[in-house]
mmCIF file of all heavy atoms in Angstrom:
data_model
loop_
_atom_site.group_PDB
_atom_site.id
_atom_site.type_symbol
_atom_site.label_atom_id
_atom_site.label_comp_id
_atom_site.label_asym_id
_atom_site.label_seq_id
_atom_site.Cartn_x
_atom_site.Cartn_y
_atom_site.Cartn_z
ATOM 1 N N SER A 1614 22.416 -6.713 -29.717
ATOM 2 C CA SER A 1614 22.452 -5.570 -28.816
ATOM 3 C C SER A 1614 22.179 -4.279 -29.562
ATOM 4 O O SER A 1614 22.500 -4.154 -30.744
ATOM 5 C CB SER A 1614 23.839 -5.505 -28.177
ATOM 6 O OG SER A 1614 24.076 -4.233 -27.649
ATOM 7 N N ALA A 1615 21.629 -3.304 -28.834
ATOM 8 C CA ALA A 1615 21.451 -1.974 -29.417
ATOM 9 C C ALA A 1615 22.807 -1.353 -29.719
ATOM 10 O O ALA A 1615 22.912 -0.427 -30.525
ATOM 11 C CB ALA A 1615 20.658 -1.092 -28.451
ATOM 12 N N GLY A 1616 23.825 -1.870 -29.059
ATOM 13 C CA GLY A 1616 25.163 -1.350 -29.302
ATOM 14 C C GLY A 1616 25.701 -1.727 -30.672
ATOM 15 O O GLY A 1616 26.649 -1.109 -31.152
ATOM 16 N N ALA A 1617 25.100 -2.752 -31.299
ATOM 17 C CA ALA A 1617 25.613 -3.226 -32.582
ATOM 18 C C ALA A 1617 25.494 -2.137 -33.645
ATOM 19 O O ALA A 1617 26.423 -1.915 -34.426
ATOM 20 C CB ALA A 1617 24.857 -4.478 -33.015
ATOM 21 N N ALA A 1618 24.348 -1.420 -33.651
ATOM 22 C CA ALA A 1618 24.149 -0.365 -34.649
ATOM 23 C C ALA A 1618 25.211 0.716 -34.482
ATOM 24 O O ALA A 1618 25.780 1.217 -35.463
ATOM 25 C CB ALA A 1618 22.751 0.226 -34.501
ATOM 26 N N ALA A 1619 25.519 1.054 -33.229
ATOM 27 C CA ALA A 1619 26.544 2.067 -32.974
ATOM 28 C C ALA A 1619 27.906 1.575 -33.450
ATOM 29 O O ALA A 1619 28.697 2.345 -34.021
ATOM 30 C CB ALA A 1619 26.597 2.379 -31.485
ATOM 31 N N GLN A 1620 28.127 0.282 -33.270
ATOM 32 C CA GLN A 1620 29.422 -0.287 -33.693
ATOM 33 C C GLN A 1620 29.577 -0.159 -35.209
ATOM 34 O O GLN A 1620 30.614 0.286 -35.703
ATOM 35 C CB GLN A 1620 29.464 -1.757 -33.256
ATOM 36 C CG GLN A 1620 30.761 -2.469 -33.568
ATOM 37 C CD GLN A 1620 30.639 -3.981 -33.392
ATOM 38 O OE1 GLN A 1620 29.642 -4.474 -32.863
ATOM 39 N NE2 GLN A 1620 31.645 -4.707 -33.839
ATOM 40 N N VAL A 1621 28.512 -0.507 -35.952
ATOM 41 C CA VAL A 1621 28.584 -0.439 -37.411
ATOM 42 C C VAL A 1621 28.674 1.016 -37.870
ATOM 43 O O VAL A 1621 29.462 1.355 -38.754
ATOM 44 C CB VAL A 1621 27.350 -1.132 -38.033
ATOM 45 C CG1 VAL A 1621 27.368 -0.982 -39.543
ATOM 46 C CG2 VAL A 1621 27.308 -2.594 -37.633
ATOM 47 N N ARG A 1622 27.918 1.890 -37.191
ATOM 48 C CA ARG A 1622 27.928 3.310 -37.589
ATOM 49 C C ARG A 1622 29.325 3.898 -37.393
ATOM 50 O O ARG A 1622 29.837 4.616 -38.266
ATOM 51 C CB ARG A 1622 26.906 4.079 -36.747
ATOM 52 C CG ARG A 1622 26.829 5.554 -37.078
ATOM 53 C CD ARG A 1622 25.630 6.205 -36.389
ATOM 54 N NE ARG A 1622 25.554 7.608 -36.709
ATOM 55 C CZ ARG A 1622 26.101 8.572 -35.964
ATOM 56 N NH1 ARG A 1622 26.750 8.256 -34.860
ATOM 57 N NH2 ARG A 1622 25.985 9.840 -36.321
ATOM 58 N N ASN A 1623 29.952 3.585 -36.241
ATOM 59 C CA ASN A 1623 31.310 4.099 -36.005
ATOM 60 C C ASN A 1623 32.264 3.627 -37.095
ATOM 61 O O ASN A 1623 33.117 4.386 -37.561
ATOM 62 C CB ASN A 1623 31.829 3.628 -34.643
ATOM 63 C CG ASN A 1623 31.143 4.360 -33.515
ATOM 64 O OD1 ASN A 1623 30.547 5.424 -33.729
ATOM 65 N ND2 ASN A 1623 31.195 3.782 -32.325
ATOM 66 N N PHE A 1624 32.100 2.366 -37.493
ATOM 67 C CA PHE A 1624 32.960 1.834 -38.545
ATOM 68 C C PHE A 1624 32.774 2.618 -39.836
ATOM 69 O O PHE A 1624 33.750 2.992 -40.497
ATOM 70 C CB PHE A 1624 32.651 0.347 -38.763
ATOM 71 C CG PHE A 1624 33.430 -0.257 -39.891
ATOM 72 C CD1 PHE A 1624 34.722 -0.723 -39.681
ATOM 73 C CD2 PHE A 1624 32.882 -0.365 -41.173
ATOM 74 C CE1 PHE A 1624 35.442 -1.270 -40.722
ATOM 75 C CE2 PHE A 1624 33.609 -0.911 -42.210
ATOM 76 C CZ PHE A 1624 34.890 -1.365 -41.989
ATOM 77 N N VAL A 1625 31.507 2.898 -40.165
ATOM 78 C CA VAL A 1625 31.225 3.600 -41.417
ATOM 79 C C VAL A 1625 31.783 5.018 -41.372
ATOM 80 O O VAL A 1625 32.382 5.503 -42.328
ATOM 81 C CB VAL A 1625 29.707 3.611 -41.691
ATOM 82 C CG1 VAL A 1625 29.362 4.587 -42.818
ATOM 83 C CG2 VAL A 1625 29.228 2.211 -42.030
ATOM 84 N N LEU A 1626 31.621 5.699 -40.233
ATOM 85 C CA LEU A 1626 32.116 7.081 -40.131
ATOM 86 C C LEU A 1626 33.630 7.112 -40.256
ATOM 87 O O LEU A 1626 34.208 8.065 -40.759
ATOM 88 C CB LEU A 1626 31.675 7.708 -38.819
ATOM 89 C CG LEU A 1626 30.158 7.943 -38.697
ATOM 90 C CD1 LEU A 1626 29.815 8.574 -37.365
ATOM 91 C CD2 LEU A 1626 29.651 8.825 -39.836
ATOM 92 N N GLU A 1627 34.288 6.065 -39.789
ATOM 93 C CA GLU A 1627 35.747 6.037 -39.900
ATOM 94 C C GLU A 1627 36.205 5.606 -41.291
ATOM 95 O O GLU A 1627 37.268 6.027 -41.740
ATOM 96 C CB GLU A 1627 36.333 5.074 -38.849
ATOM 97 C CG GLU A 1627 36.600 5.735 -37.514
ATOM 98 C CD GLU A 1627 36.963 4.735 -36.459
ATOM 99 O OE1 GLU A 1627 37.650 3.743 -36.803
ATOM 100 O OE2 GLU A 1627 36.557 4.918 -35.294
ATOM 101 N N ASN A 1628 35.425 4.721 -41.914
ATOM 102 C CA ASN A 1628 35.814 4.224 -43.242
ATOM 103 C C ASN A 1628 34.695 4.476 -44.245
ATOM 104 O O ASN A 1628 34.012 3.550 -44.663
ATOM 105 C CB ASN A 1628 36.101 2.718 -43.192
ATOM 106 C CG ASN A 1628 37.081 2.361 -42.099
ATOM 107 O OD1 ASN A 1628 38.256 2.639 -42.185
ATOM 108 N ND2 ASN A 1628 36.548 1.754 -41.050
ATOM 109 N N PRO A 1629 34.472 5.752 -44.656
ATOM 110 C CA PRO A 1629 33.342 6.042 -45.550
ATOM 111 C C PRO A 1629 33.479 5.332 -46.900
ATOM 112 O O PRO A 1629 32.486 5.030 -47.550
ATOM 113 C CB PRO A 1629 33.406 7.561 -45.735
ATOM 114 C CG PRO A 1629 34.501 8.068 -44.883
ATOM 115 C CD PRO A 1629 35.252 6.939 -44.314
ATOM 116 N N ASP A 1630 34.738 5.019 -47.285
ATOM 117 C CA ASP A 1630 34.936 4.393 -48.605
ATOM 118 C C ASP A 1630 34.433 2.955 -48.642
ATOM 119 O O ASP A 1630 34.334 2.366 -49.713
ATOM 120 C CB ASP A 1630 36.414 4.440 -48.968
ATOM 121 C CG ASP A 1630 37.296 3.960 -47.840
ATOM 122 O OD1 ASP A 1630 37.030 4.376 -46.677
ATOM 123 O OD2 ASP A 1630 38.214 3.171 -48.085
ATOM 124 N N ARG A 1631 34.144 2.363 -47.461
ATOM 125 C CA ARG A 1631 33.671 0.974 -47.465
ATOM 126 C C ARG A 1631 32.165 0.881 -47.723
ATOM 127 O O ARG A 1631 31.622 -0.220 -47.799
ATOM 128 C CB ARG A 1631 33.988 0.289 -46.124
ATOM 129 C CG ARG A 1631 35.476 0.186 -45.824
ATOM 130 C CD ARG A 1631 36.212 -0.734 -46.779
ATOM 131 N NE ARG A 1631 35.772 -2.111 -46.714
ATOM 132 C CZ ARG A 1631 36.248 -2.994 -45.852
ATOM 133 N NH1 ARG A 1631 37.168 -2.624 -44.986
ATOM 134 N NH2 ARG A 1631 35.805 -4.240 -45.851
ATOM 135 N N ILE A 1632 31.481 2.016 -47.830
ATOM 136 C CA ILE A 1632 30.046 1.964 -48.102
ATOM 137 C C ILE A 1632 29.824 1.282 -49.443
ATOM 138 O O ILE A 1632 30.505 1.588 -50.427
ATOM 139 C CB ILE A 1632 29.442 3.384 -48.100
ATOM 140 C CG1 ILE A 1632 29.512 3.949 -46.679
ATOM 141 C CG2 ILE A 1632 28.006 3.382 -48.603
ATOM 142 C CD1 ILE A 1632 29.042 5.370 -46.562
ATOM 143 N N GLY A 1633 28.876 0.373 -49.454
ATOM 144 C CA GLY A 1633 28.624 -0.423 -50.662
ATOM 145 C C GLY A 1633 29.218 -1.810 -50.553
ATOM 146 O O GLY A 1633 28.831 -2.711 -51.270
ATOM 147 N N ASP A 1634 30.187 -2.007 -49.625
ATOM 148 C CA ASP A 1634 30.774 -3.336 -49.432
ATOM 149 C C ASP A 1634 29.964 -4.129 -48.418
ATOM 150 O O ASP A 1634 29.134 -3.584 -47.692
ATOM 151 C CB ASP A 1634 32.205 -3.217 -48.885
ATOM 152 C CG ASP A 1634 33.129 -2.560 -49.896
ATOM 153 O OD1 ASP A 1634 32.678 -2.364 -51.037
ATOM 154 O OD2 ASP A 1634 34.265 -2.217 -49.497
ATOM 155 N N THR A 1635 30.263 -5.412 -48.375
ATOM 156 C CA THR A 1635 29.726 -6.259 -47.311
ATOM 157 C C THR A 1635 30.874 -6.540 -46.352
ATOM 158 O O THR A 1635 31.917 -7.067 -46.761
ATOM 159 C CB THR A 1635 29.175 -7.562 -47.879
ATOM 160 O OG1 THR A 1635 28.137 -7.228 -48.806
ATOM 161 C CG2 THR A 1635 28.620 -8.439 -46.782
ATOM 162 N N VAL A 1636 30.697 -6.121 -45.126
ATOM 163 C CA VAL A 1636 31.789 -6.195 -44.146
ATOM 164 C C VAL A 1636 31.417 -7.167 -43.029
ATOM 165 O O VAL A 1636 30.281 -7.190 -42.574
ATOM 166 C CB VAL A 1636 32.078 -4.794 -43.557
ATOM 167 C CG1 VAL A 1636 33.239 -4.861 -42.583
ATOM 168 C CG2 VAL A 1636 32.347 -3.815 -44.674
ATOM 169 N N ALA A 1637 32.417 -7.973 -42.593
ATOM 170 C CA ALA A 1637 32.175 -8.919 -41.494
ATOM 171 C C ALA A 1637 32.286 -8.193 -40.165
ATOM 172 O O ALA A 1637 33.253 -7.470 -39.932
ATOM 173 C CB ALA A 1637 33.189 -10.061 -41.565
ATOM 174 N N PHE A 1638 31.278 -8.355 -39.339
ATOM 175 C CA PHE A 1638 31.300 -7.781 -37.984
ATOM 176 C C PHE A 1638 31.072 -8.872 -36.965
ATOM 177 O O PHE A 1638 30.392 -9.867 -37.236
ATOM 178 C CB PHE A 1638 30.176 -6.738 -37.830
ATOM 179 C CG PHE A 1638 30.450 -5.432 -38.514
ATOM 180 C CD1 PHE A 1638 29.953 -5.178 -39.780
ATOM 181 C CD2 PHE A 1638 31.217 -4.462 -37.882
ATOM 182 C CE1 PHE A 1638 30.206 -3.982 -40.412
ATOM 183 C CE2 PHE A 1638 31.466 -3.265 -38.511
ATOM 184 C CZ PHE A 1638 30.960 -3.013 -39.779
ATOM 185 N N ARG A 1639 31.661 -8.636 -35.749
ATOM 186 C CA ARG A 1639 31.282 -9.459 -34.596
ATOM 187 C C ARG A 1639 30.484 -8.545 -33.698
ATOM 188 O O ARG A 1639 31.043 -7.679 -33.033
ATOM 189 C CB ARG A 1639 32.523 -9.965 -33.865
ATOM 190 C CG ARG A 1639 33.037 -11.284 -34.375
ATOM 191 C CD ARG A 1639 34.250 -11.711 -33.592
ATOM 192 N NE ARG A 1639 33.897 -12.529 -32.443
ATOM 193 C CZ ARG A 1639 34.305 -12.289 -31.226
ATOM 194 N NH1 ARG A 1639 35.028 -11.236 -30.959
ATOM 195 N NH2 ARG A 1639 33.959 -13.090 -30.239
ATOM 196 N N ILE A 1640 29.152 -8.741 -33.748
ATOM 197 C CA ILE A 1640 28.324 -7.822 -32.964
ATOM 198 C C ILE A 1640 27.917 -8.495 -31.665
ATOM 199 O O ILE A 1640 27.895 -9.724 -31.537
ATOM 200 C CB ILE A 1640 27.081 -7.370 -33.748
ATOM 201 C CG1 ILE A 1640 26.253 -8.588 -34.165
ATOM 202 C CG2 ILE A 1640 27.473 -6.526 -34.944
ATOM 203 C CD1 ILE A 1640 24.929 -8.214 -34.778
ATOM 204 N N LEU A 1641 27.649 -7.637 -30.656
ATOM 205 C CA LEU A 1641 27.226 -8.144 -29.353
ATOM 206 C C LEU A 1641 25.833 -8.736 -29.458
ATOM 207 O O LEU A 1641 24.943 -8.135 -30.067
ATOM 208 C CB LEU A 1641 27.176 -6.990 -28.355
ATOM 209 C CG LEU A 1641 28.475 -6.626 -27.650
ATOM 210 C CD1 LEU A 1641 28.297 -5.292 -26.947
ATOM 211 C CD2 LEU A 1641 28.851 -7.704 -26.664
ATOM 212 N N ALA A 1642 25.632 -9.903 -28.860
ATOM 213 C CA ALA A 1642 24.289 -10.452 -28.773
ATOM 214 C C ALA A 1642 23.529 -9.702 -27.688
ATOM 215 O O ALA A 1642 24.137 -9.111 -26.794
ATOM 216 C CB ALA A 1642 24.354 -11.930 -28.434
ATOM 217 N N ALA A 1643 22.200 -9.713 -27.780
ATOM 218 C CA ALA A 1643 21.384 -9.067 -26.758
ATOM 219 C C ALA A 1643 21.599 -9.770 -25.416
ATOM 220 O O ALA A 1643 21.999 -10.928 -25.356
ATOM 221 C CB ALA A 1643 19.908 -9.135 -27.151
ATOM 222 N N SER A 1644 21.333 -9.035 -24.327
ATOM 223 C CA SER A 1644 21.652 -9.583 -23.010
ATOM 224 C C SER A 1644 20.797 -10.810 -22.693
ATOM 225 O O SER A 1644 21.225 -11.689 -21.977
ATOM 226 C CB SER A 1644 21.484 -8.515 -21.941
ATOM 227 O OG SER A 1644 20.138 -8.376 -21.588
#
Side-chain angles (χ1 to χ4, degrees):
Chain A
S1614 161
Q1620 182 192 350
V1621 176
R1622 180 170 180 267
N1623 287 342
F1624 176 84
V1625 168
L1626 293 180
E1627 272 171 36
N1628 308 288
D1630 48 316
R1631 297 294 297 274
I1632 293 176
D1634 295 352
T1635 300
V1636 182
F1638 285 96
R1639 270 181 91 232
I1640 58 172
L1641 275 168
S1644 81

